[in-house]
Each structure stands twice: as structure tokens, then as C-alpha cells.
Amino acid sequence: MASLRTTRALLLGADESLASLLADVLGDLGIALFLDAGDAARPDLVLAHVERGEAILPVLTRARACAAAVPVVVLLPFADERLVSRALCQGARACFALGRPLDELRALLRSHFPLLETTHG
């Protein structure tokens, strides 16, 4: 019988208030949030907060250095198709604009982790 492991998310580039908000949202889905790559021990997902478009590539590079093959969701300060397109072209799995409703973030995460739907619905 396989043991269940908590889904782990590593958060890069966020301040304490954003980290706290995301910890609550992710906790509702059964995802543990970590702010330090050493603590995350093989994360299943990386959330990468980006303030400006030119920061996308360095943040994605850092995410890959911390967790090579896991999905990266870029957190943008606002919805901007140009930034979303840039992030996706540079390797992000998905993007979320922080001004959007948090239910949209939950839906996005469930779409990348279908097991969340059945275990933490």
C-alpha cells in the first residue's frame, strides 16, 4: 500500500503577506507551502512571484535550479497578456494574476493536480 505524501509547493520571490495569503489558499487544497528550497524537499510545484516582465526569466531559472522538472506557476501583479505569453514561452506551466479571485487560483491548481479535487474538494 503506497503512503500518501502531502503535495508540496515552493514559493519564490514573495513577501510575508503574500506568503501568508497563499499558505491559507493552498492549505485548503492540502498543499503545504514552503519559502525555502531546503525545507521543501522535492516540491511538486513552484509558485514564482514576478513583479516585472524582465524578471520572468531569472525567476524561472531560479525555479528550475530549485526543482528541475516540476510545474512552475508564475504569479503576476496584474493580468497582462504580454506578460502571460512571455512567461509561458519561457517555460511556466501557467500564470495567475494576483488581482483575480482566489477561487481562480484554486481552479488552476486543481487543473494541474487532479488528485486535489478528490482528496480536498
Side-chain angles (χ1 to χ4, degrees):
M1 181 171 158
S3 64
L4 295 176
R5 184 171 83 80
T6 300
T7 301
R8 297 168 167 271
L10 174 62
L11 177 61
L12 300 175
D15 63 20
E16 286 185 34
S17 62
L18 178 56
S20 178
L21 174 67
L22 291 174
D24 290 343
V25 171
L26 297 175
D28 290 345
L29 295 171
I31 300 173
L33 183 66
F34 296 88
L35 304 178
D36 183 296
D39 293 338
R42 296 181 312 156
D44 302 294
L45 166 72
V46 175
L47 299 169
H49 182 239
V50 174
E51 291 285 334
R52 299 174 315 281
E54 60 272 7
I56 292 172
L57 186 56
V59 169
L60 286 173
T61 300
R62 182 171 172 221
R64 292 287 170 240
C66 294
V70 302
V72 177
V73 175
V74 172
L75 304 173
L76 299 167
F78 51 87
D80 179 320
E81 283 303 314
R82 187 179 55 81
L83 292 178
V84 169
S85 180
R86 181 184 291 178
L88 294 174
C89 286
Q90 293 179 348
R93 171 79 59 91
C95 295
F96 178 75
L98 291 172
R100 305 290 305 163
L102 292 175
D103 281 340
E104 291 180 18
L105 177 60
R106 287 182 185 96
L108 181 142
L109 293 172
R110 283 184 175 126
S111 74
H112 291 286
F113 294 97
L115 288 177
L116 294 174
E117 189 65 41
T118 58
T119 59
H120 297 91

